[in-house]
């Protein structure tokens, strides 16, 4: 991920060089909402650095147990903040100590479940969700869940 972040920063430098110098390009990395608003008001593209990973901070899961500590998480958060990351999706294809993986059907779902089995020791399970009888009719009609 660090190489990708360096590439983003290099892209900003390249766009700036093509536009007359530092800060003059249309591609701007921003780190706060106020900076994003200012950049957009100038008609430029405000870009937040975000990451998505199933293994952030080494927080995989094996046998239902987290493979990281609170200290690992705090160190990881501080490190990515220093690198300029301002958004994180803490799950992707593999279940981890933070969240479950994406549920997909078909061949993609089979592939994701194989990955989960290999890395965590377990496959993903889908349980039926009970939709309350008082739920709106549009929710009940779109749901593939059991009703109750």
């Amino acid at each position: 991920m660090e190489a990708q972040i360096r590439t983003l920063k290099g892209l900003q430098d390249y766009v700036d060089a093509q536009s007359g110098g530092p800060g003059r390009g249309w591609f701007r990395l921003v780190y706060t909402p106020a900076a994003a608003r200012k950049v957009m008001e100038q008609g430029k593209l405000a870009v937040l650095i975000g990451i998505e990973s199933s293994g952030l901070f080494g927080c995989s899961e094996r046998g239902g147990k987290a493979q990281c500590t609170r200290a690992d998480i705090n160190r990881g958060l501080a490190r990515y903040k220093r690198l300029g990351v301002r958004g994180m999706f803490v799950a992707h294809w593999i279940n981890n100590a933070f969240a479950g993986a994406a549920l997909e059907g078909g061949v993609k779902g089979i592939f994701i479940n194989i990955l989960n089995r290999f890395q965590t020791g377990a496959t993903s399970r889908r349980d039926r969700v009970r939709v309350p009888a008082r739920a709106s009719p549009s929710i009940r009609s779109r749901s593939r869940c059991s009703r109750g």
Side-chain angles (χ1 to χ4, degrees):
M1 283 190 243
E2 290 180 29
Q4 292 171 332
I5 293 168
R6 280 193 304 275
T7 299
L8 273 176
K9 291 177 180 181
L11 176 60
Q12 177 179 259
D13 293 345
Y14 174 81
V15 171
D16 281 353
Q18 302 304 307
S19 303
R24 301 194 74 185
W26 55 268
F27 182 92
R28 306 302 320 147
L29 293 172
V30 295
Y31 305 98
T32 66
R37 278 189 290 279
K38 183 178 176 183
V39 164
M40 289 184 289
E41 286 168 358
Q42 296 170 2
K44 297 178 181 183
L45 179 65
V47 178
L48 286 171
I49 299 174
I51 57 178
E52 176 179 16
S53 173
S54 293
L56 279 174
F57 322 129
C59 286
S60 60
E61 188 177 74
R62 190 80 184 152
K65 294 185 139 204
Q67 302 299 299
C68 63
T69 65
R70 185 175 299 274
D72 294 329
I73 296 167
N74 289 337
R75 261 191 312 278
L77 287 170
R79 178 173 156 243
Y80 282 118
K81 185 174 183 186
R82 277 192 309 275
L83 291 170
V85 172
R86 294 299 183 264
M88 293 182 181
F89 294 93
V90 297
H92 189 54
W93 282 8
I94 307 299
N95 295 340
N96 62 42
F98 295 116
L103 295 176
E104 299 278 350
V107 173
K108 191 174 189 179
I110 293 168
F111 176 73
I112 290 170
N113 248 338
I114 291 169
L115 282 175
N116 266 300
R117 176 76 176 168
F118 179 72
Q119 290 195 353
T120 69
T123 56
S124 294
R125 268 190 36 204
R126 289 191 233 190
D127 293 328
R128 286 205 170 265
V129 176
R130 297 188 62 78
V131 177
R134 66 183 178 279
S136 89
S138 65
I139 291 173
R140 284 195 315 267
S141 68
R142 287 181 292 169
S143 172
R144 293 178 50 199
C145 304
S146 62
R147 300 196 184 1

